[in-house]
Amino acid sequence: MRFLLIRSLLIHPRGGSIINVRSTTTSSQYVASRSRDPVFEKFMDKYKNLLKVIAIQDLILANPTDDPPSVSIEFLSRLSQKLHLNRGAASFLRKYPHIFHVLYDPVKSQPFCRLTDVAMEISRQEALAITATLSLVVDRLVRLLSMSMSKSIPLRAIFKVWRELGLPDDFEDSVISKNPHVFKLSDGYEHNTHILELVQEEEKSLKLEAAVEKWRVVECSKEDCSVERTEIQFSFKHGYPPGMRLSKNFKAKVKEWQRLPYVGPYEDMVGKKKNRSGVMGIEKRAVAIAHEFLSLTVEKVVEVEKISYFRKCFGIDLNMRDLFLDHPGMFYMSTKGKRHTVFLREAYERGRLIDPNPVYDARRKLLDLVLLGRHAALSESGNTSMSEQE
């Protein structure tokens, strides 16, 4: 997987939404006009640097011939633009001495970079957490394939989101090959490409429930339920950026949208008759698929460009970026770090996952080291992490 990362480095009209009816604007204008959420924006200020750190970490770990693994500064410098290292690789590495250790190799007559012992230990903890939850990894892949119209997805699309889904970097061997009763690989239409498919017997036995159903059950059982019980069958949890003005017309449209029937992400569209909800029902199905996709990720976040790779597989004929912007109560999209990143709003509180998991916890430790920057490491007596202090 990490070898593929090195190799890759070297080498429809917008759907109208019932919630957000907007005047004709360009995509860039629509992005710029969105309501900002200061909590998510503050978190992205940290997270964008973590993504750069992870990219370099993967390049280092992809070089197992060295012990410990390392990569030359010259190599990283050639990739500075692709890695968004604005001031160059050497400058970026110096910012994070708790993560990267730069040393000079007299034999090769050039400087190299490796991970510090602390960073290596965090990487090991993440790998162990993933290995301990392989049953969940299998379930995530099954659910992803089940949302596909053909119950199959190009393997290269899975590679795009392997980290987001918490897959081991050798998932072809450790997950797919070891579960032949669940998955099978077939040749793609293009040379040297493969398609990941669900085994038919597995497909027939599946009875999957979307993540939103859990919220509906809990919400319906509350005495102070925020959604009318007659609406809950097709409703989603909503929350909005602080200061966002919600007009009566907007609230009325949200209420109307909440009541709108739709075909769920795991329901088969084949043979379904078009109901009176029409185009809006199709749009709501796309929203439901995006919601479920984010629910399957370890950190409930993904780059918009990456999820867009799945549009054709999921039968979504809408612009994913605009879909997220049309539903600010469910999703938050940030443009920091020269990328569009979307969060599942309901999964976060004050910049942290409400329901964390072991893989997420390991990654937060790496974020703590990013936040330390050049500062001295925290003493064990003062064991409050930097991210908790924020």
Side-chain angles (χ1 to χ4, degrees), residues 157-192:
I158 306 293
F159 278 127
K160 294 286 184 182
V161 292
W162 71 280
R163 181 176 289 279
E164 285 81 355
L165 293 175
L167 306 182
D169 56 11
D170 64 341
F171 72 88
E172 284 183 89
D173 297 323
S174 61
V175 178
I176 296 174
S177 296
K178 289 191 176 181
N179 292 277
H181 60 292
V182 180
F183 309 113
K184 71 173 182 177
L185 279 176
S186 58
D187 292 334
Y189 297 112
E190 300 176 17
H191 177 66
N192 222 13

Side-chain angles (χ1 to χ4, degrees), residues 60-343:
I60 293 172
L61 296 176
N63 190 18
T65 55
D66 294 340
D67 187 20
S70 63
V71 66
S72 72
I73 306 300
E74 179 188 6
F75 177 74
L76 291 178
S77 296
R78 295 203 305 267
L79 298 175
S80 290
Q81 188 172 357
K82 288 182 179 293
L83 296 173
H84 304 297
L85 309 180
N86 300 330
R87 297 185 179 181
S91 176
F92 184 82
L93 296 173
R94 284 196 295 269
K95 289 171 62 178
Y96 304 108
H98 300 290
I99 303 173
F100 303 115
H101 177 57
V102 178
L103 64 160
Y104 185 80
D105 188 332
V107 176
K108 297 180 181 179
S109 300
Q110 60 176 317
F112 279 74
C113 170
R114 64 175 177 82
L115 295 176
T116 63
D117 292 342
V118 176
M120 281 293 291
E121 174 60 20
I122 291 173
S123 177
R124 189 185 70 84
Q125 289 176 12
E126 180 181 344
L128 288 174
I130 290 173
T131 301
T133 56
L134 281 183
S135 60
L136 294 177
V137 169
V138 172
D139 181 67
R140 289 184 199 122
L141 280 180
V142 166
R143 288 175 176 272
L144 200 65
L145 289 164
S146 298
M147 287 193 287
S148 168
M149 303 286 282
S150 62
K151 306 300 183 253
S152 64
I153 292 175
L155 190 61
R156 62 187 177 189
I158 306 293
F159 278 127
K160 294 286 184 182
V161 292
W162 71 280
R163 181 176 289 279
E164 285 81 355
L165 293 175
L167 306 182
D169 56 11
D170 64 341
F171 72 88
E172 284 183 89
D173 297 323
S174 61
V175 178
I176 296 174
S177 296
K178 289 191 176 181
N179 292 277
H181 60 292
V182 180
F183 309 113
K184 71 173 182 177
L185 279 176
S186 58
D187 292 334
Y189 297 112
E190 300 176 17
H191 177 66
N192 222 13
T193 61
H194 296 86
I195 305 293
L196 180 62
E197 304 176 45
L198 268 181
V199 173
Q200 286 189 352
E201 288 75 12
E202 177 72 12
E203 180 184 336
K204 292 175 182 177
S205 65
L206 288 175
K207 291 183 180 179
L208 299 174
E209 186 176 79
V212 68
E213 295 296 342
K214 296 178 183 177
W215 171 78
R216 289 169 181 164
V217 170
V218 173
E219 193 68 18
C220 193
S221 63
K222 291 181 179 177
E223 292 184 5
D224 58 341
C225 179
S226 61
V227 183
E228 292 181 18
R229 284 170 172 76
T230 54
E231 301 175 16
I232 201 74
Q233 181 182 359
F234 303 112
S235 294
F236 289 84
K237 186 174 183 178
H238 280 68
Y240 296 94
M244 181 177 176
R245 295 182 180 180
L246 306 179
S247 65
K248 289 184 179 180
N249 183 52
F250 180 87
K251 291 178 180 178
K253 289 185 181 298
V254 171
K255 192 169 186 177
E256 182 183 354
W257 187 86
Q258 291 278 55
R259 292 173 173 170
L260 188 71
Y262 69 98
V263 179
Y266 298 121
E267 294 181 62
D268 199 339
M269 288 289 288
V270 178
K272 293 284 184 180
K273 294 182 179 179
K274 289 186 177 180
N275 55 37
R276 58 188 178 88
S277 61
V279 174
M280 295 307 175
I282 294 174
E283 189 262 0
K284 190 167 183 178
R285 173 179 165 81
V287 171
I289 289 173
H291 181 280
E292 186 68 7
F293 187 102
L294 280 164
S295 297
L296 294 177
T297 63
V298 169
E299 299 174 77
K300 317 308 175 194
V301 58
V302 70
E303 287 181 41
V304 175
E305 181 182 358
K306 291 183 178 181
I307 192 174
S308 295
Y309 278 98
F310 295 84
R311 283 175 58 230
K312 185 176 180 180
C313 299
F314 296 156
I316 298 177
D317 195 22
L318 301 167
N319 183 303
M320 295 302 296
R321 178 180 56 191
D322 291 349
L323 190 76
F324 293 131
L325 292 174
D326 283 343
H327 296 271
M330 294 172 60
F331 311 109
Y332 183 74
M333 195 183 81
S334 174
T335 61
K336 287 185 180 290
K338 297 182 179 180
R339 53 171 60 89
H340 290 169
T341 306
V342 63
F343 294 84

